Amino acid sequence: MKCSAEGVPRRNAITLRFPISERFYAMNINRRQALAIAASGAVLPTIASAESTPVPVAGKAEHVISIWLGGGMGQIDTFDPKRKGDPKTKKAGSYYDPIETSVDGVQLCEHLPKMANLMERVTAVRSVHHDVIDEHAATTNRMHTGRDISGTVTYPSLGSIVTHERGAVHDGAPPYVLIGYPNVTRGPGFLGAKDSYLYLTDTGQGPAGLSRPDGITPDRQARRERFLTALKQSGKAVADQKISDYDAAIEQSLKLSGPEFGGVFQLDSEPDRLRNQYGGEFGQRCLLSRRLVQRGVRFIEVSHNLNFLNGAGWDVHNAGILNQHQLIRELDNAVSALITDLHNNRLLDKTLIVITTEFGRPPEFDSGGGRGHHGRAFSCVLAGGGLNHCGAYGVTDELAKTIVENPVSVPDFFATICAALNIDPAKNLYDGDRPVPITDRGRPIRSLFS
């Protein structure tokens, strides 16, 4: 089974309907063209905004676990395999053999056998694309904010947008946790500090910012908090929103620094058998993300940046591709364990798993036998979240290089995530008085919503 597409008019278009021979002739034009027609004196019996034409879609997901594959996961070597290639003879094609999955007609790379057995709960969106220069910083920004870098606006990340719209599930949990290194592309942009993330890099210790330094006893911490409260009460009220947001972030951090929230990072309380199923450090990050979901965190990003496996991570130029299979197997173990674990805890329909990366890789091999960058057609993955999954959506050509059916822009992909969380992807946020559409006019993949 594969998802089908439904045609939806672009927003900001206007549909004009003219009675011709007792029928109606419909024409989609933009607003400027409509004004020109009106100025010419033409009679327009019916003018309808296309914004109101599509029936809104809304999912029931409550959480997002977003897995970031830094470096650029090659679609042709993972979720969109094609004919076998040969780096020695420079024959373009897949590096590995394909295997069948639990969904008829959908194949994966041979190093994703566990995911292959779960594809009825997964949709590999094979037709994601963007036109950003194939450079890591620019594309990392695009795949986190949904937009190009701007000289005038610092756009919020998807995690901060979800945080802004939905907040934490429970008061005793942060809304947004980053398991990886902090970066402006993951940040709140113009939304402000209150919609930012709490981050950690060591799953065994939790966020360093919530740990008290040695020598700071509970009594001493309590005295400091009383002094801070008295200091705030003695001063004048501050009208600056940035300062207010910063104070709110400090207040939340103080709430989360106690043992109650800290217990979520005690992974050794999980059964050894389950921890072994998840695998190494990346797997433990995925296990922690499940525990954070249970604690009430709304959005978790899990970074997969363990470059020591092949010296290059997912950026498989030259010899970096030789051990790429180790990264793929690690992804297979961890994500399949996460899907199964969430299902066993009755959390899979409430939790949308998202796998993204900067861009894909071309089918051709470079001079060293590896692959370059390719943003015109690549795969991102959705799992769980109560969606109507179909194994794969979108079709590329015989070498996974060009999209031939159902293209999905980055705004469309973001709109699908927002809709799954019952966030209106057409809503405007505001940078001061400036309206900024959440998804830059993205349209959800409607067939994923039953």
Side-chain angles (χ1 to χ4, degrees):
M1 177 178 68
K2 293 184 180 180
C3 301
S4 61
E6 298 180 31
V8 181
R10 280 285 181 187
R11 291 190 177 91
N12 295 327
I14 291 177
T15 300
L16 304 184
R17 296 182 177 88
F18 301 93
I20 299 178
S21 301
E22 298 181 352
R23 296 182 182 180
F24 279 91
Y25 171 73
M27 175 176 64
N28 287 332
I29 63 175
N30 61 35
R31 287 186 170 88
R32 181 174 295 178
Q33 292 168 324
L35 291 173
I37 293 172
S40 69
V43 178
L44 306 179
T46 304
I47 300 181
S49 171
E51 293 185 51
S52 60
T53 301
V55 177
V57 294
K60 299 179 180 178
E62 295 291 330
H63 311 266
V64 175
I65 297 174
S66 179
I67 296 172
W68 174 249
L69 308 183
M73 177 190 72
Q75 74 286 355
I76 195 170
D77 292 332
T78 53
F79 291 95
D80 194 10
K82 302 294 182 177
R83 75 181 189 206
K84 192 78 173 288
D86 184 359
K88 292 182 180 179
T89 62
K90 296 298 186 286
K91 176 186 176 183
S94 295
Y95 203 78
Y96 313 108
D97 291 321
I99 58 173
E100 300 298 327
T101 72
S102 60
V103 177
D104 291 341
V106 176
Q107 294 183 325
L108 297 183
C109 147
E110 62 181 308
H111 297 298
L112 292 167
K114 296 179 180 179
M115 288 287 291
N117 290 329
L118 298 170
M119 289 305 287
E120 72 278 3
R121 298 172 180 168
V122 180
T123 300
V125 184
R126 292 171 165 173
S127 53
V128 180
H129 63 93
H130 59 61
D131 56 2
V132 182
I133 183 173
D134 289 339
E135 183 274 329
H136 294 287
T139 50
T140 296
N141 179 82
R142 181 60 173 268
M143 294 304 297
H144 278 85
T145 67
R147 302 171 188 272
D148 290 333
I149 296 173
S150 168
T152 58
V153 179
T154 303
Y155 293 109
S157 66
L158 178 63
S160 290
I161 290 171
V162 172
T163 296
H164 180 78
E165 293 298 304
R166 297 296 306 271
V169 179
H170 304 303
D171 185 53
Y176 179 11
V177 172
L178 168 64
I179 307 177
Y181 292 101
N183 186 285
V184 66
T185 65
R186 277 82 165 170
F190 63 75
L191 292 177
K194 66 182 184 304
D195 295 317
S196 191
Y197 51 75
L198 179 70
Y199 84 94
L200 65 143
T201 57
D202 186 345
T203 55
Q205 296 183 5
L210 297 184
S211 302
R212 295 186 187 126
D214 294 338
I216 304 297
T217 64
D219 288 343
R220 189 175 180 185
Q221 177 68 23
R223 288 199 304 271
R224 288 183 170 192
E225 292 180 22
R226 288 195 298 270
F227 177 73
L228 179 61
T229 300
L231 188 63
K232 289 180 178 179
Q233 292 175 346
S234 64
K236 294 182 179 179
V238 178
D240 191 318
Q241 186 62 44
K242 291 183 179 180
I243 295 179
S244 299
D245 291 346
Y246 184 72
D247 285 343
I250 292 177
E251 184 177 350
Q252 183 189 59
S253 297
L254 292 174
K255 289 180 181 179
L256 299 176
S257 62
E260 184 177 359
F261 178 68
V264 75
F265 302 101
Q266 296 175 2
L267 297 183
D268 54 3
S269 64
E270 296 284 346
D272 290 342
R273 180 174 174 273
L274 180 62
R275 294 193 68 181
N276 290 334
Q277 287 176 348
Y278 273 95
E281 172 60 22
F282 172 63
Q284 300 308 298
R285 291 180 177 199
C286 290
L287 173 57
L288 175 58
S289 70
R290 187 267 288 166
R291 291 172 63 86
L292 288 167
V293 163
Q294 288 178 309
R295 191 68 184 84
V297 178
R298 183 74 67 183
F299 191 101
I300 304 112
E301 178 177 314
V302 182
S303 293
H304 183 229
N305 54 3
L306 307 181
N307 292 349
F308 63 86
L309 286 176
N310 63 348
W314 293 96
D315 197 22
V316 290
H317 301 283
N318 303 313
I321 202 170
L322 295 177
N323 290 322
Q324 179 186 223
H325 64 280
Q326 296 181 18
L327 292 174
I328 301 171
R329 289 174 182 173
E330 187 171 60
L331 179 70
D332 186 49
N333 285 333
V335 177
S336 62
L338 178 60
I339 292 172
T340 303
D341 195 11
L342 287 168
H343 174 73
N344 291 340
N345 283 278
R346 299 183 179 181
L347 290 169
L348 185 59
D349 284 344
K350 297 179 181 179
T351 307
L352 181 65
I353 301 171
V354 181
I355 302 175
T356 55
T357 189
E358 293 104 304
F359 36 60
R361 321 298 294 195
E364 298 86 6
F365 296 97
D366 61 27
S367 59
R371 300 193 192 276
H373 301 167
H374 186 73
R376 295 189 296 277
F378 60 102
S379 296
C380 294
V381 179
L382 301 170
L387 296 180
N388 182 28
H389 289 292
C390 52
Y393 179 87
V395 180
T396 56
D397 64 7
E398 70 278 3
L399 287 174
K401 189 172 184 178
T402 302
I403 297 167
V404 297
E405 288 183 24
N406 302 334
V408 176
S409 69
V410 176
D412 292 340
F413 191 74
F414 273 37
T416 304
I417 296 170
C418 287
L421 289 157
N422 199 21
I423 297 171
D424 181 4
K427 179 180 178 180
N428 283 332
L429 302 175
Y430 287 87
D431 179 16
D433 294 330
R434 177 180 181 176
V436 179
I438 282 181
T439 62
D440 199 15
R441 300 184 300 279
R443 299 174 299 175
I445 303 172
R446 301 181 67 85
S447 57
L448 294 180
F449 296 83
S450 55

